[in-house]
Coordinates of all heavy atoms in Angstrom, one line a residue:
M1 N -2.9 -22.3 5.7 CA -1.7 -22.0 6.4 C -2.0 -21.5 7.8 O -2.8 -20.6 8.0 CB -0.9 -21.0 5.6 CG 0.5 -20.7 6.2 SD 1.5 -19.6 5.2 CE 1.8 -20.5 3.7
A2 N -1.4 -22.1 8.9 CA -1.7 -21.7 10.2 C -1.1 -20.3 10.5 O -0.2 -19.8 9.8 CB -1.1 -22.7 11.2
G3 N -1.5 -19.7 11.6 CA -1.1 -18.3 11.9 C 0.4 -18.2 12.1 O 1.1 -17.3 11.5
D4 N 1.1 -19.2 12.8 CA 2.5 -19.1 12.9 C 3.2 -19.3 11.6 O 4.2 -18.7 11.4 CB 3.0 -20.2 13.9 CG 2.5 -19.9 15.4 OD1 2.2 -18.7 15.6 OD2 2.4 -20.8 16.2
D5 N 2.7 -20.2 10.8 CA 3.3 -20.5 9.4 C 3.2 -19.2 8.6 O 4.1 -18.9 7.9 CB 2.6 -21.6 8.7 CG 2.8 -23.0 9.4 OD1 3.8 -23.1 10.1 OD2 2.0 -23.9 9.1
W6 N 2.0 -18.5 8.7 CA 1.8 -17.3 7.9 C 2.8 -16.2 8.4 O 3.5 -15.5 7.5 CB 0.4 -16.8 8.0 CG 0.1 -15.5 7.3 CD1 -0.1 -14.3 7.8 CD2 0.1 -15.4 5.8 NE1 -0.3 -13.4 6.8 CE2 -0.1 -14.0 5.6 CE3 0.4 -16.2 4.8 CZ2 -0.2 -13.5 4.3 CZ3 0.3 -15.7 3.5 CH2 0.0 -14.4 3.2
A7 N 3.0 -16.1 9.7 CA 4.0 -15.1 10.2 C 5.4 -15.4 9.7 O 6.1 -14.5 9.3 CB 3.9 -15.0 11.7
A8 N 5.7 -16.7 9.7 CA 7.1 -17.1 9.3 C 7.2 -16.8 7.8 O 8.3 -16.4 7.3 CB 7.3 -18.5 9.6
H9 N 6.2 -17.0 7.0 CA 6.2 -16.8 5.6 C 6.4 -15.3 5.3 O 7.2 -14.9 4.5 CB 4.9 -17.3 5.0 CG 4.7 -17.0 3.5 ND1 5.5 -17.6 2.6 CD2 3.9 -16.1 2.8 CE1 5.2 -17.2 1.4 NE2 4.2 -16.3 1.5
L10 N 5.7 -14.4 6.0 CA 5.9 -13.0 5.9 C 7.3 -12.6 6.3 O 7.9 -11.7 5.6 CB 4.8 -12.2 6.7 CG 3.4 -12.4 6.2 CD1 2.5 -11.6 7.2 CD2 3.2 -11.9 4.8
D11 N 7.8 -13.2 7.3 CA 9.2 -12.9 7.7 C 10.2 -13.3 6.6 O 11.1 -12.5 6.3 CB 9.6 -13.7 9.0 CG 8.9 -13.1 10.2 OD1 8.4 -12.0 10.2 OD2 8.8 -13.9 11.2
R12 N 10.0 -14.5 6.0 CA 10.9 -14.9 4.9 C 10.8 -13.9 3.7 O 11.8 -13.7 3.0 CB 10.5 -16.3 4.5 CG 11.1 -17.4 5.4 CD 10.9 -18.8 4.7 NE 9.6 -19.1 4.4 CZ 8.7 -19.6 5.2 NH1 9.0 -19.8 6.5 NH2 7.5 -19.9 4.8
L13 N 9.7 -13.3 3.5 CA 9.5 -12.4 2.4 C 10.0 -11.0 2.8 O 10.1 -10.1 1.9 CB 8.0 -12.3 2.0 CG 7.4 -13.5 1.4 CD1 5.9 -13.3 1.2 CD2 8.0 -13.8 0.0
G14 N 10.4 -10.8 4.0 CA 10.9 -9.5 4.5 C 9.9 -8.5 4.7 O 10.1 -7.3 4.8
I15 N 8.6 -9.0 5.0 CA 7.5 -8.1 5.3 C 7.4 -8.0 6.8 O 6.9 -8.9 7.4 CB 6.2 -8.6 4.7 CG1 6.4 -8.7 3.1 CG2 5.1 -7.7 5.0 CD1 5.2 -9.4 2.5
C16 N 8.0 -7.0 7.4 CA 8.1 -6.9 8.8 C 7.3 -5.7 9.4 O 6.9 -5.7 10.5 CB 9.5 -6.8 9.3 SG 10.5 -5.6 8.5
D17 N 7.0 -4.7 8.5 CA 6.2 -3.5 9.0 C 4.8 -4.0 9.2 O 4.2 -4.7 8.4 CB 6.2 -2.4 7.9 CG 5.4 -1.2 8.3 OD1 5.9 -0.4 9.1 OD2 4.3 -1.2 7.9
E18 N 4.2 -3.6 10.3 CA 2.9 -4.1 10.7 C 1.8 -3.8 9.7 O 0.9 -4.6 9.4 CB 2.5 -3.6 12.1 CG 1.2 -4.2 12.7 CD 1.3 -5.7 12.9 OE1 2.4 -6.2 13.2 OE2 0.3 -6.4 12.7
R19 N 1.9 -2.6 9.1 CA 0.9 -2.2 8.1 C 1.0 -3.0 6.9 O 0.0 -3.5 6.3 CB 1.1 -0.7 7.7 CG 0.1 -0.2 6.7 CD 0.3 1.3 6.4 NE -0.4 1.6 5.3 CZ 0.0 1.5 4.0 NH1 1.2 1.1 3.8 NH2 -0.8 1.9 3.0
H20 N 2.3 -3.3 6.4 CA 2.5 -4.1 5.3 C 2.0 -5.6 5.5 O 1.5 -6.2 4.6 CB 3.9 -4.1 4.8 CG 4.4 -2.7 4.4 ND1 5.7 -2.3 4.5 CD2 3.7 -1.7 3.8 CE1 5.7 -1.1 4.0 NE2 4.5 -0.7 3.6
R21 N 2.2 -6.1 6.7 CA 1.8 -7.4 7.1 C 0.2 -7.5 7.0 O -0.3 -8.4 6.5 CB 2.2 -7.8 8.4 CG 3.7 -8.0 8.5 CD 4.2 -8.3 9.9 NE 4.1 -9.6 10.3 CZ 5.1 -10.6 10.1 NH1 6.2 -10.2 9.6 NH2 4.9 -11.8 10.5
H22 N -0.4 -6.4 7.4 CA -1.9 -6.3 7.4 C -2.4 -6.4 5.9 O -3.3 -7.1 5.6 CB -2.4 -5.1 8.1 CG -3.8 -4.9 8.1 ND1 -4.7 -5.7 8.9 CD2 -4.6 -4.1 7.4 CE1 -5.9 -5.3 8.7 NE2 -5.9 -4.4 7.8
I23 N -1.7 -5.6 5.1 CA -2.1 -5.5 3.7 C -1.9 -6.9 3.0 O -2.7 -7.3 2.2 CB -1.3 -4.4 2.9 CG1 -1.8 -3.0 3.4 CG2 -1.5 -4.5 1.4 CD1 -0.9 -1.9 2.9
A24 N -0.8 -7.5 3.3 CA -0.5 -8.8 2.7 C -1.5 -9.9 3.1 O -2.0 -10.7 2.4 CB 0.9 -9.3 3.1
T25 N -1.9 -9.8 4.4 CA -2.9 -10.7 4.9 C -4.3 -10.5 4.3 O -4.9 -11.4 3.9 CB -3.0 -10.6 6.5 OG1 -1.7 -10.9 7.0 CG2 -4.0 -11.6 7.1
E26 N -4.6 -9.2 4.2 CA -5.9 -8.8 3.5 C -5.9 -9.4 2.1 O -6.9 -10.0 1.6 CB -6.1 -7.3 3.5 CG -6.6 -6.7 4.7 CD -6.8 -5.2 4.6 OE1 -6.4 -4.6 3.6 OE2 -7.4 -4.7 5.5
A27 N -4.8 -9.2 1.4 CA -4.7 -9.7 0.0 C -4.9 -11.2 -0.1 O -5.6 -11.7 -1.0 CB -3.4 -9.2 -0.7
A28 N -4.2 -11.9 0.8 CA -4.3 -13.3 0.8 C -5.7 -13.8 1.2 O -6.3 -14.7 0.5 CB -3.3 -13.9 1.9
L29 N -6.4 -13.1 2.1 CA -7.7 -13.5 2.5 C -8.8 -13.2 1.4 O -9.8 -13.8 1.3 CB -8.2 -12.8 3.8 CG -7.4 -13.2 5.0 CD1 -7.8 -12.3 6.2 CD2 -7.7 -14.7 5.3
L30 N -8.4 -12.2 0.5 CA -9.3 -11.8 -0.6 C -9.1 -12.7 -1.8 O -9.6 -12.4 -2.9 CB -9.1 -10.3 -0.9 CG -9.7 -9.4 0.1 CD1 -9.2 -7.9 -0.2 CD2 -11.2 -9.4 0.2
G31 N -8.4 -13.8 -1.6 CA -8.3 -14.7 -2.7 C -7.0 -14.6 -3.6 O -7.0 -15.0 -4.7
G32 N -6.0 -14.0 -3.0 CA -4.7 -14.0 -3.7 C -4.8 -13.1 -5.0 O -4.5 -13.5 -6.1
H33 N -5.2 -11.9 -4.8 CA -5.4 -11.0 -6.0 C -4.1 -10.7 -6.7 O -4.1 -10.4 -7.9 CB -6.0 -9.7 -5.5 CG -7.4 -9.7 -5.2 ND1 -8.4 -10.0 -6.2 CD2 -8.1 -9.7 -4.1 CE1 -9.6 -10.1 -5.6 NE2 -9.4 -9.8 -4.4
V34 N -2.9 -10.9 -6.0 CA -1.7 -10.7 -6.7 C -1.5 -11.7 -7.9 O -1.1 -11.3 -9.0 CB -0.5 -10.9 -5.7 CG1 0.8 -10.8 -6.4 CG2 -0.6 -9.8 -4.6
A35 N -1.9 -12.9 -7.7 CA -1.8 -13.9 -8.8 C -2.8 -13.6 -9.9 O -2.5 -13.8 -11.1 CB -2.0 -15.3 -8.2
K36 N -4.0 -13.1 -9.5 CA -5.1 -12.8 -10.5 C -5.0 -11.4 -11.0 O -5.8 -11.1 -12.0 CB -6.4 -13.1 -9.8 CG -6.6 -14.5 -9.3 CD -7.9 -14.6 -8.6 CE -8.0 -15.9 -7.9 NZ -9.2 -16.0 -7.0
G37 N -4.3 -10.5 -10.4 CA -4.3 -9.1 -10.7 C -5.1 -8.4 -9.6 O -6.1 -9.0 -9.1
I38 N -4.6 -7.3 -9.2 CA -5.2 -6.6 -8.1 C -6.6 -6.0 -8.5 O -6.7 -5.3 -9.5 CB -4.3 -5.5 -7.5 CG1 -3.0 -6.2 -7.0 CG2 -5.0 -4.7 -6.4 CD1 -2.0 -5.3 -6.5
H39 N -7.6 -6.2 -7.7 CA -8.9 -5.6 -7.9 C -8.8 -4.1 -7.8 O -8.1 -3.6 -6.9 CB -9.9 -6.2 -6.9 CG -11.3 -5.8 -7.2 ND1 -11.8 -4.6 -6.8 CD2 -12.3 -6.4 -7.8 CE1 -13.1 -4.5 -7.2 NE2 -13.4 -5.6 -7.8
P40 N -9.4 -3.3 -8.8 CA -9.2 -1.9 -8.7 C -9.6 -1.2 -7.4 O -8.9 -0.3 -6.9 CB -10.1 -1.4 -9.9 CG -10.2 -2.6 -10.8 CD -10.1 -3.8 -9.9
M41 N -10.6 -1.7 -6.8 CA -11.1 -1.1 -5.5 C -10.0 -1.3 -4.4 O -9.8 -0.5 -3.5 CB -12.4 -1.6 -5.1 CG -13.6 -1.1 -6.0 SD -13.6 0.7 -6.1 CE -14.1 1.1 -4.5
L42 N -9.4 -2.5 -4.4 CA -8.3 -2.8 -3.4 C -7.1 -1.9 -3.7 O -6.6 -1.4 -2.7 CB -7.9 -4.3 -3.5 CG -6.9 -4.7 -2.6 CD1 -7.3 -4.6 -1.1 CD2 -6.5 -6.2 -2.8
A43 N -6.8 -1.6 -4.9 CA -5.7 -0.7 -5.2 C -6.0 0.7 -4.8 O -5.2 1.4 -4.2 CB -5.4 -0.8 -6.7
I44 N -7.2 1.2 -5.0 CA -7.6 2.5 -4.6 C -7.6 2.6 -3.1 O -7.1 3.6 -2.5 CB -9.0 2.9 -5.2 CG1 -9.0 2.9 -6.7 CG2 -9.5 4.2 -4.6 CD1 -8.1 4.1 -7.3
A45 N -8.1 1.6 -2.4 CA -8.2 1.6 -0.9 C -6.8 1.7 -0.4 O -6.5 2.4 0.6 CB -8.9 0.4 -0.4
S46 N -5.9 0.9 -1.0 CA -4.5 0.9 -0.5 C -3.8 2.3 -0.7 O -3.1 2.8 0.1 CB -3.7 -0.2 -1.2 OG -2.3 -0.2 -0.8
L47 N -4.1 2.8 -1.9 CA -3.5 4.2 -2.2 C -4.0 5.2 -1.3 O -3.3 6.1 -0.8 CB -3.8 4.5 -3.7 CG -3.3 5.9 -4.2 CD1 -1.8 5.9 -4.1 CD2 -3.7 6.1 -5.6
K48 N -5.3 5.2 -1.0 CA -5.9 6.1 0.0 C -5.3 6.0 1.4 O -4.9 7.0 2.0 CB -7.4 6.0 0.1 CG -8.2 6.5 -1.1 CD -9.6 6.3 -1.0 CE -10.2 7.3 0.0 NZ -11.7 7.3 0.0
K49 N -5.1 4.7 1.8 CA -4.5 4.5 3.1 C -3.0 5.0 3.2 O -2.6 5.6 4.1 CB -4.4 3.0 3.5 CG -5.7 2.5 4.0 CD -5.5 1.0 4.4 CE -6.7 0.4 5.0 NZ -6.5 -1.0 5.4
T50 N -2.3 4.8 2.1 CA -0.9 5.2 2.0 C -0.8 6.8 2.0 O 0.0 7.3 2.7 CB -0.2 4.7 0.8 OG1 -0.3 3.3 0.8 CG2 1.2 5.1 0.7
C51 N -1.7 7.4 1.3 CA -1.7 8.9 1.2 C -2.0 9.4 2.6 O -1.4 10.3 3.1 CB -2.8 9.4 0.2 SG -2.3 9.3 -1.5
R52 N -3.0 8.8 3.3 CA -3.4 9.3 4.6 C -2.2 9.1 5.6 O -1.9 10.0 6.4 CB -4.6 8.5 5.1 CG -5.2 9.0 6.5 CD -6.4 8.3 6.9 NE -7.4 8.1 5.9 CZ -7.9 7.0 5.5 NH1 -7.5 5.8 6.1 NH2 -8.8 6.9 4.6
M53 N -1.6 8.0 5.5 CA -0.4 7.7 6.4 C 0.7 8.7 6.2 O 1.4 9.1 7.2 CB 0.1 6.3 6.1 CG 1.3 5.9 6.9 SD 2.0 4.3 6.4 CE 2.9 4.8 4.9
L54 N 0.9 9.2 4.9 CA 2.0 10.1 4.6 C 1.6 11.5 4.7 O 2.4 12.4 4.5 CB 2.5 9.8 3.2 CG 3.2 8.4 3.1 CD1 3.5 8.1 1.6 CD2 4.4 8.3 4.0
G55 N 0.3 11.8 5.0 CA -0.2 13.2 5.2 C -0.4 13.9 3.8 O -0.2 15.1 3.7
V56 N -0.7 13.1 2.8 CA -0.9 13.6 1.4 C -2.3 13.5 1.1 O -3.0 12.5 1.4 CB 0.0 12.8 0.4 CG1 -0.3 13.3 -1.0 CG2 1.4 12.9 0.7
S57 N -2.9 14.6 0.5 CA -4.3 14.6 0.1 C -4.4 13.5 -1.1 O -3.7 13.6 -2.1 CB -4.7 15.9 -0.4 OG -5.9 15.8 -1.2
F58 N -5.3 12.6 -0.9 CA -5.5 11.5 -1.9 C -5.9 12.2 -3.2 O -5.4 11.8 -4.3 CB -6.6 10.5 -1.4 CG -7.0 9.6 -2.5 CD1 -6.2 8.6 -3.0 CD2 -8.3 9.8 -3.1 CE1 -6.6 7.7 -4.0 CE2 -8.7 8.9 -4.1 CZ -7.9 7.9 -4.5
W59 N -6.9 13.1 -3.2 CA -7.4 13.7 -4.4 C -6.3 14.6 -5.1 O -6.2 14.6 -6.3 CB -8.7 14.5 -4.1 CG -9.8 13.6 -3.8 CD1 -10.4 13.4 -2.6 CD2 -10.4 12.7 -4.7 NE1 -11.3 12.5 -2.7 CE2 -11.4 12.0 -3.9 CE3 -10.2 12.3 -6.0 CZ2 -12.2 11.0 -4.5 CZ3 -11.0 11.3 -6.5 CH2 -12.0 10.7 -5.8
A60 N -5.5 15.3 -4.3 CA -4.4 16.1 -4.9 C -3.4 15.2 -5.5 O -3.0 15.5 -6.6 CB -3.8 16.9 -3.8
Y61 N -3.1 14.1 -4.9 CA -2.1 13.1 -5.4 C -2.7 12.5 -6.7 O -2.0 12.5 -7.8 CB -1.8 12.0 -4.4 CG -0.8 11.0 -5.0 CD1 0.5 11.3 -5.0 CD2 -1.3 9.8 -5.5 CE1 1.4 10.4 -5.5 CE2 -0.4 8.9 -6.0 CZ 1.0 9.2 -6.0 OH 1.9 8.3 -6.6
L62 N -3.9 12.1 -6.7 CA -4.6 11.4 -7.9 C -4.6 12.4 -9.0 O -4.3 12.1 -10.2 CB -5.9 10.9 -7.5 CG -6.6 10.0 -8.5 CD1 -5.8 8.8 -8.8 CD2 -8.0 9.6 -8.0
T63 N -5.1 13.6 -8.8 CA -5.2 14.7 -9.8 C -3.8 15.0 -10.4 O -3.7 15.1 -11.6 CB -5.8 15.9 -9.2 OG1 -7.1 15.6 -8.7 CG2 -6.0 17.0 -10.3
D64 N -2.8 15.1 -9.5 CA -1.5 15.3 -10.0 C -1.0 14.3 -10.9 O -0.4 14.5 -12.0 CB -0.5 15.5 -8.8 CG 0.8 16.0 -9.2 OD1 1.0 17.2 -9.5 OD2 1.8 15.1 -9.2
R65 N -1.2 13.0 -10.6 CA -0.8 11.9 -11.4 C -1.6 11.8 -12.7 O -1.0 11.6 -13.8 CB -0.9 10.6 -10.7 CG 0.1 10.4 -9.6 CD 1.5 10.6 -10.1 NE 2.5 10.7 -9.0 CZ 2.9 11.8 -8.5 NH1 2.5 12.9 -8.9 NH2 3.9 11.8 -7.6
L66 N -2.9 12.1 -12.7 CA -3.7 12.0 -13.9 C -3.4 13.1 -14.9 O -3.5 12.9 -16.1 CB -5.2 11.9 -13.5 CG -5.6 10.7 -12.8 CD1 -7.1 10.8 -12.4 CD2 -5.5 9.5 -13.7
T67 N -3.0 14.3 -14.3 CA -2.8 15.4 -15.2 C -1.3 15.6 -15.5 O -0.9 16.4 -16.3 CB -3.2 16.7 -14.6 OG1 -2.5 16.9 -13.3 CG2 -4.7 16.7 -14.3
N68 N -0.5 14.7 -14.9 CA 1.0 14.7 -15.1 C 1.6 16.1 -14.7 O 2.5 16.5 -15.4 CB 1.3 14.4 -16.5 CG 2.6 13.6 -16.6 OD1 3.2 13.2 -15.6 ND2 3.2 13.5 -17.8
A69 N 1.0 16.7 -13.7 CA 1.5 18.1 -13.3 C 2.8 18.0 -12.6 O 3.6 19.0 -12.7 CB 0.4 18.7 -12.4
G70 N 3.1 17.0 -11.9 CA 4.4 16.8 -11.2 C 4.6 17.7 -10.0 O 5.7 18.0 -9.5
K71 N 3.5 18.2 -9.4 CA 3.6 19.1 -8.2 C 3.7 18.3 -6.9 O 4.2 18.8 -6.0 CB 2.4 20.1 -8.2 CG 2.4 21.1 -9.4 CD 1.2 21.9 -9.3 CE 1.1 22.9 -10.5 NZ -0.1 23.7 -10.6
V72 N 3.1 17.2 -6.9 CA 3.1 16.3 -5.7 C 4.2 15.3 -5.9 O 4.2 14.5 -6.8 CB 1.7 15.6 -5.5 CG1 1.7 14.8 -4.2 CG2 0.6 16.7 -5.4
P73 N 5.1 15.2 -4.9 CA 6.2 14.2 -5.1 C 5.7 12.8 -5.0 O 4.6 12.5 -4.4 CB 7.1 14.5 -3.8 CG 6.6 15.8 -3.3 CD 5.2 16.0 -3.7
P74 N 6.4 11.9 -5.6 CA 6.0 10.5 -5.6 C 5.9 10.0 -4.1 O 6.7 10.4 -3.2 CB 7.1 9.7 -6.3 CG 7.8 10.8 -7.2 CD 7.6 12.1 -6.4
L75 N 4.9 9.1 -3.9 CA 4.7 8.6 -2.5 C 6.0 7.8 -2.0 O 6.3 7.8 -0.9 CB 3.5 7.7 -2.4 CG 2.2 8.4 -2.7 CD1 1.0 7.4 -2.6 CD2 2.0 9.6 -1.8
A76 N 6.7 7.2 -3.0 CA 7.9 6.4 -2.6 C 8.9 7.3 -2.0 O 9.6 7.0 -1.0 CB 8.4 5.7 -3.8
D77 N 9.0 8.6 -2.5 CA 10.0 9.5 -2.0 C 9.6 9.9 -0.5 O 10.5 10.0 0.3 CB 10.0 10.8 -2.8 CG 10.7 10.6 -4.2 OD1 11.2 9.5 -4.4 OD2 10.6 11.5 -5.0
R78 N 8.3 10.1 -0.3 CA 7.9 10.5 1.0 C 8.1 9.3 2.0 O 8.4 9.5 3.2 CB 6.4 10.9 1.0 CG 6.2 12.2 0.4 CD 4.8 12.7 0.6 NE 4.5 13.9 -0.1 CZ 4.3 15.0 0.6 NH1 4.2 15.0 1.9 NH2 4.1 16.2 -0.1
M79 N 7.9 8.1 1.5 CA 8.1 6.9 2.4 C 9.6 6.8 2.7 O 9.9 6.5 3.9 CB 7.6 5.6 1.7 CG 6.1 5.6 1.5 SD 5.5 4.2 0.6 CE 5.4 3.0 2.0
R80 N 10.5 7.0 1.8 CA 11.9 7.0 2.1 C 12.3 8.0 3.1 O 13.0 7.8 4.1 CB 12.7 7.1 0.8 CG 12.9 5.8 0.1 CD 13.9 5.9 -1.0 NE 13.4 6.7 -2.2 CZ 12.6 6.3 -3.2 NH1 12.3 5.0 -3.2 NH2 12.3 7.0 -4.1
Q81 N 11.7 9.2 3.0 CA 12.0 10.3 3.9 C 11.5 10.0 5.3 O 12.2 10.2 6.3 CB 11.3 11.6 3.4 CG 12.0 12.3 2.2 CD 11.1 13.4 1.7 OE1 10.0 13.7 2.1 NE2 11.7 14.1 0.7
R82 N 10.4 9.4 5.3 CA 9.8 9.0 6.6 C 10.6 7.9 7.3 O 10.7 7.9 8.5 CB 8.3 8.6 6.4 CG 7.6 8.4 7.7 CD 6.1 8.1 7.4 NE 5.4 8.1 8.6 CZ 4.4 7.3 8.9 NH1 4.0 6.4 8.0 NH2 3.8 7.3 10.0
A83 N 11.1 7.0 6.5 CA 11.9 5.9 7.1 C 13.2 6.3 7.6 O 13.8 5.7 8.5 CB 12.0 4.8 6.1
A84 N 13.8 7.4 7.0 CA 15.1 7.9 7.4 C 15.2 8.5 8.8 O 14.3 8.8 9.4 CB 15.6 8.9 6.4

């Protein structure tokens, strides 16, 4: 798929944020992990980038989720706050 076609494809999917476009492109270049299942290292790298972008400690977030402590709010909540 040519560059212009790829950009149009991302537009049709509603992926307009530059960071999300970059992630989608990386995933496509890595062999379409979405169809095969996401490679664990790709998932961890994406989670780390998202935590960094939102100002959340990756290790605090991960520990909170693994222990089910509930002290760190979901990243989706922070993303919605940031978008508002």
Side-chain angles (χ1 to χ4, degrees):
M1 186 177 292
D4 291 338
D5 292 339
W6 180 248
H9 177 68
L10 293 176
D11 289 339
R12 282 192 301 278
L13 292 173
I15 302 173
C16 51
D17 179 82
E18 190 60 35
R19 180 177 169 274
H20 295 152
R21 292 174 85 88
H22 180 75
I23 291 169
T25 302
E26 281 182 350
L29 292 173
L30 289 171
H33 286 293
V34 174
K36 300 175 189 172
I38 296 175
H39 189 278
M41 291 305 292
L42 182 60
I44 295 293
S46 178
L47 181 59
K48 285 180 77 173
K49 278 184 177 180
T50 302
C51 284
R52 187 178 311 125
M53 178 187 75
L54 296 172
V56 175
S57 164
F58 170 73
W59 290 111
Y61 180 79
L62 189 60
T63 301
D64 188 76
R65 290 302 170 268
L66 292 173
T67 61
N68 213 14
K71 295 177 182 175
V72 179
L75 296 180
D77 291 350
R78 289 190 182 246
M79 291 177 87
R80 278 190 287 276
Q81 289 172 351
R82 188 171 188 220

